[in-house]
Amino acid sequence: MSKMEIYDPAMCCSTGVCGPSVNPELIRVAAVIENLKKMGIVVTRHNLSSEPQAYTKNSAIQQELNSKGVKVLPITFVDGKIVKRGGYLTNQEFADFLG
């Protein structure tokens, strides 16, 4: 079974689904991830504002941030490989990468 990690930009909470004006894209991603977890798929999200140590521990993330800056976030890994930079996976991409 595949493992997914998402390195989010700095957000107010772990999902970004908070505050007075919530981005609909973040609501979609949170719902998809919740469904994946219910299916037993391991999905881990890291928030730059609350978990900066996760970004410094991952050499691939460090390299991306050093060369492209924070605009490259979010970055999604599947089984340790970067599959998307600068945006969240579409529903189809979630299905394709995770079967």
Side-chain angles (χ1 to χ4, degrees):
M1 186 169 295
S2 294
K3 178 184 173 191
M4 176 178 281
E5 284 186 279
I6 301 171
Y7 287 80
D8 289 305
M11 297 188 296
C12 58
C13 64
S14 63
T15 62
V17 182
C18 51
S21 58
V22 178
N23 181 340
E25 180 70 350
L26 294 174
I27 294 171
R28 179 190 66 81
V29 169
V32 169
I33 290 171
E34 187 60 32
N35 286 331
L36 291 171
K37 288 180 176 181
K38 287 178 183 175
M39 295 167 40
I41 297 172
V42 177
V43 180
T44 305
R45 289 181 81 175
H46 303 284
N47 182 338
L48 182 58
S49 62
S50 62
E51 274 188 275
Q53 68 280 9
Y55 294 70
T56 59
K57 288 181 182 178
N58 184 315
S59 61
I61 289 293
Q62 283 183 356
Q63 184 176 17
E64 292 288 325
L65 290 172
N66 287 337
S67 64
K68 298 176 182 93
V70 294
K71 68 181 181 286
V72 73
L73 298 174
I75 296 176
T76 302
F77 287 78
V78 174
D79 297 330
K81 296 180 182 160
I82 294 175
V83 297
K84 190 160 186 174
R85 297 167 179 86
Y88 292 101
L89 298 179
T90 65
N91 290 353
Q92 186 61 53
E93 287 171 329
F94 275 109
D96 292 344
F97 287 122
L98 298 173

